[in-house]
Coordinates of all heavy atoms in Angstrom, one line a residue:
M182 N 33.5 -2.1 -24.3 CA 33.9 -2.0 -22.8 C 34.9 -0.8 -22.7 O 35.9 -0.8 -23.4 CB 34.4 -3.3 -22.3 CG 33.5 -4.4 -22.4 SD 34.2 -5.9 -21.7 CE 33.2 -6.1 -20.3
K183 N 34.6 0.0 -21.7 CA 35.5 1.1 -21.4 C 36.5 0.8 -20.4 O 36.2 0.1 -19.4 CB 34.7 2.3 -21.1 CG 34.2 3.1 -22.2 CD 33.6 4.4 -21.7 CE 33.5 5.3 -22.8 NZ 33.2 6.6 -22.5
S184 N 37.7 1.3 -20.3 CA 38.6 1.2 -19.3 C 38.8 2.4 -18.6 O 38.8 3.5 -19.2 CB 40.0 0.7 -19.8 OG 39.8 -0.6 -20.3
Y185 N 38.9 2.5 -17.3 CA 39.2 3.7 -16.5 C 40.3 3.3 -15.5 O 40.5 2.1 -15.1 CB 38.0 4.0 -15.6 CG 36.8 4.4 -16.4 CD1 35.8 3.5 -16.8 CD2 36.5 5.8 -16.7 CE1 34.6 3.9 -17.4 CE2 35.3 6.2 -17.4 CZ 34.4 5.3 -17.8 OH 33.4 5.7 -18.3
F186 N 40.9 4.4 -14.9 CA 41.6 4.2 -13.7 C 40.6 4.2 -12.5 O 39.6 4.9 -12.6 CB 42.8 5.2 -13.5 CG 43.9 5.1 -14.5 CD1 44.0 5.9 -15.6 CD2 44.8 4.1 -14.3 CE1 45.0 5.7 -16.5 CE2 45.8 3.8 -15.2 CZ 45.9 4.6 -16.2
L187 N 40.8 3.4 -11.5 CA 39.8 3.3 -10.5 C 39.5 4.7 -9.8 O 38.2 4.9 -9.6 CB 40.4 2.4 -9.3 CG 39.4 2.1 -8.2 CD1 38.0 1.5 -8.7 CD2 40.0 1.1 -7.2
N188 N 40.4 5.6 -9.7 CA 40.0 6.9 -9.2 C 39.1 7.8 -10.0 O 38.5 8.7 -9.6 CB 41.2 7.7 -8.7 CG 42.2 8.0 -9.9 OD1 42.2 7.3 -10.7 ND2 42.8 9.2 -9.8
D189 N 39.0 7.4 -11.3 CA 38.1 8.1 -12.3 C 36.8 7.5 -12.6 O 35.9 8.1 -13.2 CB 38.8 8.3 -13.7 CG 40.1 9.0 -13.7 OD1 40.2 9.9 -12.8 OD2 41.1 8.8 -14.4
L190 N 36.6 6.4 -11.9 CA 35.3 5.7 -12.1 C 34.1 6.4 -11.4 O 34.2 6.7 -10.3 CB 35.4 4.2 -11.5 CG 34.3 3.2 -11.7 CD1 34.3 2.9 -13.2 CD2 34.6 1.9 -10.9
P191 N 33.1 6.6 -12.1 CA 31.9 7.4 -11.5 C 31.3 6.6 -10.3 O 31.3 5.4 -10.4 CB 30.9 7.5 -12.7 CG 31.6 7.2 -13.9 CD 32.8 6.3 -13.6
I192 N 30.7 7.4 -9.4 CA 30.0 6.7 -8.2 C 28.9 5.8 -8.8 O 28.1 6.2 -9.6 CB 29.5 7.8 -7.4 CG1 30.6 8.6 -6.7 CG2 28.7 7.2 -6.2 CD1 31.6 7.9 -5.9
G193 N 28.8 4.6 -8.2 CA 27.8 3.6 -8.5 C 28.0 2.9 -9.7 O 27.2 2.0 -10.1
K194 N 29.1 3.1 -10.4 CA 29.4 2.3 -11.7 C 30.2 1.0 -11.3 O 31.3 1.2 -10.8 CB 30.2 3.2 -12.6 CG 30.3 2.7 -13.9 CD 29.1 2.9 -14.8 CE 29.3 2.7 -16.2 NZ 28.1 2.9 -17.0
K195 N 29.6 -0.1 -11.6 CA 30.3 -1.4 -11.4 C 31.4 -1.7 -12.3 O 31.2 -1.5 -13.6 CB 29.4 -2.5 -11.3 CG 29.8 -3.8 -11.0 CD 28.7 -4.8 -10.9 CE 29.2 -6.2 -10.7 NZ 28.1 -7.2 -10.6
A196 N 32.6 -2.0 -11.9 CA 33.7 -2.4 -12.9 C 34.5 -3.6 -12.4 O 34.3 -4.0 -11.2 CB 34.6 -1.2 -13.0
K197 N 35.3 -4.2 -13.3 CA 36.1 -5.3 -13.0 C 37.5 -4.8 -13.0 O 38.0 -4.1 -13.8 CB 35.9 -6.4 -14.0 CG 36.7 -7.7 -13.7 CD 36.5 -8.7 -14.7 CE 35.2 -9.4 -14.5 NZ 35.1 -10.6 -15.4
I198 N 38.3 -5.2 -11.9 CA 39.6 -4.8 -11.9 C 40.5 -5.7 -12.9 O 40.4 -6.8 -13.0 CB 40.2 -5.1 -10.5 CG1 39.4 -4.3 -9.4 CG2 41.7 -4.8 -10.4 CD1 39.8 -4.5 -8.0
I199 N 41.2 -4.9 -13.7 CA 42.0 -5.5 -14.7 C 43.5 -5.6 -14.4 O 44.1 -6.7 -14.6 CB 41.9 -4.8 -16.1 CG1 40.5 -4.8 -16.6 CG2 42.8 -5.4 -17.1 CD1 40.2 -3.9 -17.7
N200 N 44.0 -4.6 -13.9 CA 45.4 -4.6 -13.6 C 45.8 -3.6 -12.4 O 45.2 -2.6 -12.3 CB 46.2 -4.0 -14.8 CG 47.7 -4.2 -14.7 OD1 48.3 -4.9 -13.8 ND2 48.4 -3.5 -15.5
I201 N 46.6 -4.2 -11.5 CA 47.2 -3.3 -10.4 C 48.6 -3.0 -10.7 O 49.5 -3.9 -10.5 CB 47.0 -4.0 -9.0 CG1 45.5 -4.4 -8.9 CG2 47.5 -3.2 -7.9 CD1 45.2 -5.3 -7.6
N202 N 48.9 -1.7 -10.9 CA 50.3 -1.3 -11.4 C 50.7 -0.5 -10.3 O 50.8 0.8 -10.5 CB 50.3 -0.7 -12.6 CG 51.7 -0.5 -13.2 OD1 52.6 -1.1 -12.7 ND2 51.7 0.5 -14.1
C203 N 51.1 -1.0 -9.0 CA 51.6 -0.2 -8.0 C 53.0 -0.7 -7.5 O 53.3 -1.8 -7.8 CB 50.6 -0.2 -6.8 SG 49.0 0.4 -7.1
N204 N 53.7 0.0 -6.7 CA 54.9 -0.6 -6.1 C 54.5 -1.8 -5.1 O 53.4 -1.9 -4.7 CB 55.7 0.5 -5.4 CG 55.1 0.9 -4.0 OD1 54.6 0.2 -3.3 ND2 55.2 2.2 -3.8
Y205 N 55.4 -2.6 -4.8 CA 55.1 -3.9 -4.2 C 54.4 -3.6 -2.8 O 53.5 -4.4 -2.5 CB 56.5 -4.6 -3.9 CG 56.3 -5.9 -3.2 CD1 55.8 -7.0 -3.8 CD2 56.5 -5.8 -1.8 CE1 55.5 -8.2 -3.1 CE2 56.3 -7.1 -1.0 CZ 55.8 -8.2 -1.7 OH 55.6 -9.4 -1.0
N206 N 54.8 -2.7 -2.0 CA 54.2 -2.4 -0.7 C 52.8 -2.1 -0.8 O 51.9 -2.6 -0.2 CB 54.9 -1.5 0.1 CG 56.4 -1.9 0.5 OD1 56.5 -3.1 0.7 ND2 57.2 -0.9 0.6
I207 N 52.4 -1.2 -1.7 CA 51.0 -0.9 -1.9 C 50.2 -1.9 -2.5 O 49.1 -2.3 -2.1 CB 50.9 0.4 -2.6 CG1 51.5 1.6 -1.9 CG2 49.5 0.8 -3.1 CD1 51.6 2.8 -2.7
K208 N 50.8 -2.6 -3.5 CA 50.1 -3.7 -4.1 C 49.9 -4.8 -3.1 O 48.6 -5.4 -3.0 CB 50.8 -4.3 -5.3 CG 50.1 -5.3 -6.1 CD 50.8 -5.8 -7.3 CE 50.0 -6.7 -8.1 NZ 50.6 -7.0 -9.4
R209 N 50.7 -5.2 -2.3 CA 50.6 -6.2 -1.2 C 49.4 -5.8 -0.2 O 48.6 -6.6 0.1 CB 51.8 -6.3 -0.4 CG 51.8 -7.3 0.7 CD 52.1 -8.7 0.1 NE 50.8 -9.5 0.2 CZ 50.4 -10.5 -0.5 NH1 51.1 -10.9 -1.5 NH2 49.3 -11.1 -0.4
R210 N 49.4 -4.5 0.1 CA 48.2 -4.1 1.0 C 46.9 -4.2 0.3 O 45.9 -4.6 0.9 CB 48.5 -2.6 1.4 CG 47.6 -2.0 2.5 CD 48.0 -0.7 2.9 NE 47.8 0.4 1.9 CZ 46.7 1.1 1.8 NH1 45.7 0.9 2.4 NH2 46.7 2.0 0.8
L211 N 46.9 -3.8 -0.9 CA 45.6 -3.9 -1.7 C 45.1 -5.3 -1.8 O 44.0 -5.6 -1.7 CB 45.7 -3.2 -3.0 CG 45.9 -1.7 -3.0 CD1 46.3 -1.2 -4.4 CD2 44.8 -1.0 -2.5
L212 N 46.1 -6.2 -2.2 CA 45.8 -7.7 -2.3 C 45.2 -8.1 -0.9 O 44.3 -9.0 -0.9 CB 47.0 -8.4 -2.7 CG 47.5 -8.2 -4.2 CD1 48.8 -8.8 -4.5 CD2 46.5 -8.5 -5.2
D213 N 45.8 -7.7 0.2 CA 45.4 -8.2 1.5 C 44.1 -7.7 1.8 O 43.2 -8.4 2.6 CB 46.3 -7.7 2.6 CG 47.6 -8.4 2.6 OD1 47.8 -9.5 2.0 OD2 48.6 -7.9 3.2
L214 N 43.6 -6.6 1.2 CA 42.2 -6.0 1.5 C 41.2 -6.7 0.5 O 40.0 -6.4 0.6 CB 42.2 -4.6 1.2 CG 42.9 -3.6 2.2 CD1 43.1 -2.3 1.7 CD2 42.2 -3.8 3.6
G215 N 41.7 -7.6 -0.5 CA 40.8 -8.3 -1.4 C 40.7 -7.6 -2.8 O 39.8 -8.1 -3.6
I216 N 41.4 -6.6 -2.9 CA 41.4 -6.0 -4.3 C 42.4 -6.7 -5.1 O 43.6 -6.4 -5.1 CB 41.8 -4.5 -4.1 CG1 40.8 -3.8 -3.3 CG2 41.8 -3.8 -5.4 CD1 41.1 -2.4 -2.8
I217 N 41.8 -7.6 -5.9 CA 42.6 -8.4 -6.8 C 42.0 -8.4 -8.2 O 40.8 -8.1 -8.4 CB 42.7 -9.9 -6.2 CG1 41.3 -10.5 -6.1 CG2 43.4 -10.0 -4.9 CD1 41.2 -12.0 -5.8
E218 N 42.8 -8.8 -9.2 CA 42.3 -8.7 -10.6 C 41.1 -9.7 -10.7 O 41.0 -10.7 -10.0 CB 43.5 -9.2 -11.5 CG 44.6 -8.3 -11.5 CD 45.8 -8.6 -12.4 OE1 45.7 -9.6 -13.1 OE2 46.8 -7.9 -12.2
N219 N 40.3 -9.3 -11.6 CA 39.0 -10.0 -12.0 C 37.9 -9.8 -10.8 O 37.0 -10.5 -10.9 CB 39.3 -11.5 -12.3 CG 40.0 -11.6 -13.5 OD1 39.8 -10.8 -14.5 ND2 41.0 -12.6 -13.6
S220 N 38.2 -9.0 -9.8 CA 37.1 -8.8 -8.8 C 36.3 -7.6 -9.3 O 36.8 -6.7 -9.9 CB 37.8 -8.5 -7.4 OG 38.4 -9.6 -6.9
N221 N 35.0 -7.6 -8.9 CA 34.1 -6.5 -9.1 C 34.3 -5.4 -8.1 O 34.5 -5.8 -6.8 CB 32.6 -6.9 -9.2 CG 32.5 -7.8 -10.5 OD1 33.0 -7.6 -11.5 ND2 31.6 -8.7 -10.3
I222 N 34.3 -4.2 -8.3 CA 34.4 -3.1 -7.4 C 33.4 -2.0 -7.9 O 33.2 -1.7 -9.1 CB 35.8 -2.6 -7.4 CG1 36.1 -1.6 -6.2 CG2 36.3 -2.0 -8.7 CD1 37.6 -1.5 -5.8
I223 N 32.9 -1.3 -6.8 CA 31.9 -0.2 -7.1 C 32.2 0.9 -6.3 O 32.3 0.8 -4.9 CB 30.4 -0.6 -6.7 CG1 30.1 -1.8 -7.6 CG2 29.5 0.5 -7.1 CD1 28.7 -2.5 -7.1
P224 N 32.5 2.1 -6.7 CA 32.7 3.4 -5.9 C 31.3 3.7 -5.2 O 30.4 3.9 -6.1 CB 33.3 4.4 -6.7 CG 33.1 3.9 -8.1 CD 32.8 2.4 -8.1
V225 N 31.2 3.9 -3.9 CA 29.8 4.2 -3.4 C 29.8 5.5 -2.8 O 28.7 6.1 -2.6 CB 29.5 3.1 -2.3 CG1 29.2 1.8 -3.0 CG2 30.5 3.0 -1.2
F226 N 30.9 6.1 -2.4 CA 30.9 7.5 -1.8 C 32.3 8.1 -1.9 O 33.4 7.6 -1.7 CB 30.6 7.3 -0.3 CG 30.4 8.7 0.4 CD1 29.4 9.6 0.2 CD2 31.5 9.1 1.2 CE1 29.3 10.7 0.9 CE2 31.5 10.3 1.9 CZ 30.3 11.1 1.7
R227 N 32.2 9.4 -2.2 CA 33.5 10.3 -2.2 C 33.4 11.2 -1.1 O 32.3 11.9 -0.9 CB 33.7 11.0 -3.5 CG 34.2 10.2 -4.6 CD 34.9 10.9 -5.7 NE 35.6 10.0 -6.6 CZ 35.0 9.3 -7.6 NH1 33.6 9.3 -7.7 NH2 35.8 8.4 -8.4
S228 N 34.5 11.5 -0.4 CA 34.5 12.5 0.7 C 34.3 13.9 0.0 O 34.4 14.1 -1.2 CB 35.8 12.4 1.4 OG 36.8 12.8 0.6
P229 N 34.0 14.9 0.8 CA 33.8 16.3 0.3 C 34.9 16.8 -0.6 O 34.8 17.5 -1.5 CB 33.6 17.1 1.6 CG 33.1 16.2 2.5 CD 33.7 14.8 2.3
F230 N 36.1 16.4 -0.2 CA 37.3 16.9 -1.0 C 37.7 15.9 -2.0 O 38.9 15.9 -2.6 CB 38.4 17.3 -0.1 CG 38.1 18.5 0.8 CD1 37.8 18.3 2.1 CD2 37.9 19.7 0.2 CE1 37.5 19.4 2.9 CE2 37.6 20.8 0.9 CZ 37.3 20.7 2.3
N231 N 37.0 14.8 -2.3 CA 37.2 13.8 -3.3 C 38.3 12.9 -3.0 O 38.8 12.1 -3.8 CB 37.4 14.4 -4.7 CG 36.1 14.9 -5.3 OD1 35.0 14.4 -5.1 ND2 36.3 15.9 -6.1
D232 N 38.7 12.9 -1.7 CA 39.9 12.0 -1.3 C 39.7 11.7 0.2 O 39.8 12.7 0.9 CB 41.2 12.5 -1.7 CG 42.3 11.6 -1.6 OD1 42.0 10.3 -1.6 OD2 43.5 12.0 -1.4
P233 N 39.4 10.5 0.6 CA 39.5 9.2 0.0 C 38.0 9.0 -0.6 O 37.1 9.7 -0.4 CB 39.7 8.2 1.0 CG 39.2 8.9 2.4 CD 39.4 10.3 2.2
T234 N 38.0 7.8 -1.2 CA 36.6 7.3 -1.9 C 36.4 6.0 -1.2 O 37.4 5.1 -1.0 CB 36.8 7.2 -3.4 OG1 37.2 8.5 -3.9 CG2 35.6 6.7 -3.9
A235 N 35.2 5.7 -1.0 CA 34.7 4.4 -0.4 C 34.3 3.5 -1.5 O 33.5 3.9 -2.4 CB 33.6 4.6 0.5
Y236 N 34.8 2.3 -1.6 CA 34.5 1.2 -2.5 C 33.9 0.1 -1.9 O 34.3 -0.4 -0.9 CB 35.9 0.9 -3.3 CG 36.4 2.0 -4.0 CD1 37.4 2.7 -3.4 CD2 36.1 2.3 -5.3 CE1 38.1 3.8 -4.0 CE2 36.7 3.3 -6.1 CZ 37.7 4.2 -5.4 OH 38.3 5.1 -6.1
L237 N 32.9 -0.5 -2.7 CA 32.4 -1.8 -2.2 C 33.1 -2.9 -3.0 O 33.0 -2.9 -4.3 CB 30.9 -1.8 -2.6 CG 30.1 -3.1 -2.3 CD1 30.2 -3.4 -0.7 CD2 28.7 -2.9 -2.8
I238 N 33.6 -3.8 -2.2 CA 34.4 -4.9 -2.9 C 34.2 -6.2 -2.0 O 34.4 -6.1 -0.8 CB 36.0 -4.6 -3.1 CG1 36.5 -5.9 -3.8 CG2 36.7 -4.3 -1.9 CD1 37.6 -5.4 -4.8
R239 N 33.7 -7.2 -2.6 CA 33.6 -8.5 -1.9 C 32.6 -8.3 -0.6 O 33.0 -8.9 0.4 CB 34.8 -9.1 -1.5 CG 35.7 -9.5 -2.8 CD 37.0 -10.0 -2.5 NE 37.7 -10.5 -3.6 CZ 37.8 -11.8 -4.0 NH1 37.3 -12.6 -3.5 NH2 38.5 -11.9 -5.2
G240 N 31.6 -7.5 -0.7 CA 30.7 -7.3 0.4 C 31.2 -6.4 1.5 O 30.6 -6.3 2.7
T241 N 32.3 -5.8 1.3 CA 33.0 -4.8 2.4 C 33.2 -3.4 1.8 O 33.5 -3.4 0.6 CB 34.3 -5.5 2.9 OG1 34.0 -6.8 3.4 CG2 34.9 -4.6 3.9
I242 N 32.9 -2.5 2.5 CA 33.2 -1.2 2.1 C 34.6 -0.7 2.6 O 34.9 -0.8 3.8 CB 32.2 -0.1 2.5 CG1 30.9 -0.4 1.8 CG2 32.6 1.3 2.1 CD1 29.7 0.4 2.1
I243 N 35.6 -0.3 1.7 CA 36.9 0.1 2.0 C 37.2 1.5 1.4 O 36.8 1.8 0.3 CB 37.9 -0.9 1.4 CG1 37.6 -2.3 1.9 CG2 39.4 -0.5 1.7 CD1 38.4 -3.4 1.3
A244 N 37.8 2.4 2.3 CA 38.1 3.7 1.8 C 39.6 3.7 1.3 O 40.5 3.2 2.1 CB 37.9 4.7 2.9
L245 N 39.7 4.1 0.1 CA 41.1 4.2 -0.4 C 41.4 5.6 -0.8 O 40.6 6.3 -1.4 CB 41.2 3.3 -1.6 CG 41.0 1.8 -1.2 CD1 40.9 1.0 -2.7 CD2 42.1 1.3 -0.3
R246 N 42.7 6.0 -0.8 CA 43.1 7.3 -1.1 C 43.3 7.3 -2.7 O 43.7 6.3 -3.3 CB 44.5 7.7 -0.5 CG 44.3 7.8 0.9 CD 45.7 8.1 1.5 NE 46.6 6.9 1.1 CZ 47.6 6.5 1.9 NH1 47.8 7.1 3.1 NH2 48.3 5.5 1.5
N247 N 43.2 8.5 -3.3 CA 43.3 8.5 -4.8 C 44.8 8.2 -5.2 O 45.0 7.6 -6.3 CB 43.0 10.0 -5.3 CG 41.6 10.2 -5.3 OD1 40.8 9.3 -5.2 ND2 41.2 11.5 -5.3
E248 N 45.7 8.5 -4.3 CA 47.1 8.1 -4.7 C 47.3 6.7 -4.8 O 48.1 6.2 -5.5 CB 48.1 8.8 -3.7 CG 48.8 8.0 -2.7 CD 49.7 8.7 -1.8 OE1 49.4 9.8 -1.5 OE2 50.7 8.1 -1.4
D249 N 46.5 5.9 -4.1 CA 46.6 4.4 -4.2 C 45.8 3.8 -5.4 O 46.1 2.7 -5.8 CB 46.1 3.8 -2.9 CG 47.1 4.1 -1.7 OD1 48.2 4.5 -2.0 OD2 46.6 4.0 -0.5
T250 N 44.7 4.5 -5.8 CA 43.9 4.0 -6.8 C 44.2 4.5 -8.2 O 43.6 4.0 -9.1 CB 42.4 4.3 -6.4 OG1 42.3 5.7 -6.4 CG2 42.0 3.7 -5.2
K251 N 45.1 5.5 -8.4 CA 45.4 6.0 -9.7 C 46.0 5.2 -10.6 O 46.1 5.3 -11.8 CB 46.0 7.4 -9.5 CG 47.5 7.3 -9.0 CD 48.1 8.6 -8.9 CE 49.5 8.4 -8.3 NZ 50.1 9.7 -8.0
N252 N 46.6 4.0 -10.1 CA 47.3 3.0 -10.9 C 46.5 1.7 -11.0 O 47.1 0.8 -11.5 CB 48.7 2.8 -10.3 CG 49.6 4.0 -10.5 OD1 49.6 4.8 -11.4 ND2 50.3 4.3 -9.4
I253 N 45.3 1.7 -10.7 CA 44.5 0.5 -10.8 C 43.6 0.6 -12.0 O 42.7 1.5 -12.0 CB 43.7 0.2 -9.5 CG1 44.6 0.0 -8.3 CG2 42.8 -1.0 -9.6 CD1 43.9 -0.1 -7.0
L254 N 43.7 -0.3 -12.9 CA 43.0 -0.2 -14.1 C 41.7 -1.1 -14.1 O 41.8 -2.2 -13.6 CB 43.8 -0.7 -15.3 CG 43.2 -0.4 -16.7 CD1 43.1 1.0 -17.1 CD2 44.1 -1.1 -17.8
V255 N 40.6 -0.5 -14.4 CA 39.3 -1.3 -14.3 C 38.6 -1.2 -15.7 O 38.8 -0.2 -16.4 CB 38.4 -0.7 -13.1 CG1 39.0 -1.0 -11.8 CG2 38.0 0.7 -13.4
Q256 N 37.8 -2.2 -15.8 CA 36.9 -2.2 -17.1 C 35.5 -2.2 -16.7 O 35.0 -3.0 -15.9 CB 37.3 -3.4 -18.0 CG 36.8 -3.4 -19.2 CD 37.5 -4.5 -20.1 OE1 37.5 -5.6 -19.7 NE2 37.9 -4.2 -21.2
V257 N 34.7 -1.4 -17.5 CA 33.3 -1.3 -17.2 C 32.5 -2.3 -18.3 O 32.9 -2.3 -19.3 CB 32.7 0.2 -17.3 CG1 31.3 0.3 -17.2 CG2 33.5 1.0 -16.3

């Protein structure tokens, strides 16, 4: 099993969130959006300049900036 940071995960590749290592305010916002450990997440679309990226999580598509996803560790 390979580990990636969420912003490095290839489009269409399903992964499980392992660790969210962000400051409290960002982590709280991510948790409120349903981005929690052991959840599956799939990047589905990147904008033309690669920021933000749309992710499918728990049946919902959420766009997140790379600055918010660079500290989220996922496992494929």
Side-chain angles (χ1 to χ4, degrees):
M182 298 183 114
K183 281 190 157 187
S184 294
Y185 294 93
F186 288 106
L187 186 55
N188 63 323
D189 295 328
L190 191 63
I192 296 294
K194 191 79 163 177
K195 184 177 179 180
K197 183 182 281 192
I198 298 172
I199 296 174
N200 187 19
I201 302 170
N202 187 20
C203 301
N204 72 41
Y205 177 78
N206 292 331
I207 294 172
K208 186 172 183 174
R209 182 81 249 156
R210 185 173 69 91
L211 294 172
L212 293 173
D213 289 343
L214 291 171
I216 299 170
I217 59 174
E218 293 177 10
N219 295 320
S220 293
N221 291 322
I222 191 164
I223 304 169
V225 291
F226 180 77
R227 280 200 172 79
S228 68
F230 295 109
N231 290 326
D232 195 21
T234 300
Y236 296 93
L237 177 63
I238 182 143
R239 299 176 176 259
T241 303
I242 294 179
I243 300 171
L245 297 171
R246 298 177 300 214
N247 286 340
E248 113 182 28
D249 294 338
T250 60
K251 67 183 177 185
N252 295 316
I253 299 174
L254 189 63
V255 296
Q256 190 172 47
V257 178

